[in-house]
Amino acid sequence: MKKIIFTEKAPAPIGPYNQAVLSGNTLYASGQIAINPESGELITDNINDETNQVMKNIAAILEAANMTFENVVKSTIFIMDMNNFGAINTVYGSYFNEKTAPARETVQVACLPKNVNVEISIIAVQ
């Protein structure tokens, strides 16, 4: 049994997918990019603001599923330029308790949707 998770506090899907799916006690959230859900604008002024918007979008999805970042067990970070890793990691890390942070991989890719610099997906467990 799966339950579709949707919140207006995160960007609406722009294709045949959902923001997240809850299956049993496990939440699978689609990759988030830095779209401000209120304005629909893409935040790409600088990598810190961009990453922060991505994390805010993830936080909204977690909240819609009655979870927090403490529930996240796995994340994947896709970045366009590995030179941005340090800045992305600093913002990303500010959302987690380092002692209970999730497993993670970070992958440099050739291109991301809307030519953004970072996309992050998560898996969380209740």
Side-chain angles (χ1 to χ4, degrees):
M1 191 81 177
K2 68 180 183 180
K3 177 182 178 186
I4 303 304
I5 302 298
F6 176 81
T7 177
E8 304 247 341
K9 295 179 182 178
I14 53 175
Y17 63 93
N18 288 289
Q19 290 171 332
V21 174
L22 184 64
S23 178
N25 65 345
T26 304
L27 181 74
Y28 301 90
S30 295
Q32 293 298 303
I33 60 174
I35 295 175
N36 179 320
E38 293 177 13
S39 67
E41 292 186 28
L42 198 54
I43 310 297
T44 57
D45 297 343
N46 66 66
I47 196 64
N48 291 334
D49 291 346
E50 185 173 351
T51 306
N52 196 48
Q53 184 63 56
V54 169
M55 297 303 287
K56 286 179 182 178
N57 294 344
I58 293 170
I61 292 168
L62 286 166
E63 181 182 339
N66 298 313
M67 295 188 199
T68 69
F69 282 102
E70 280 297 310
N71 295 98
V72 177
V73 296
K74 179 76 166 62
S75 66
T76 303
I77 302 175
F78 302 97
I79 61 176
M80 288 287 293
D81 183 351
M82 199 56 81
N83 291 317
N84 286 328
F85 176 79
I88 293 167
N89 196 50
T90 298
V91 174
Y92 169 93
S94 71
Y95 285 82
F96 292 99
N97 175 336
E98 192 170 323
K99 292 181 180 183
T100 59
R104 178 185 87 185
E105 65 265 331
T106 303
V107 182
Q108 181 173 316
V109 296
C111 190
L112 288 167
K114 297 187 178 282
N115 294 312
V116 298
N117 297 296
V118 59
E119 179 176 4
I120 302 174
S121 65
I122 58 100
I123 298 171
V125 177
Q126 290 177 322

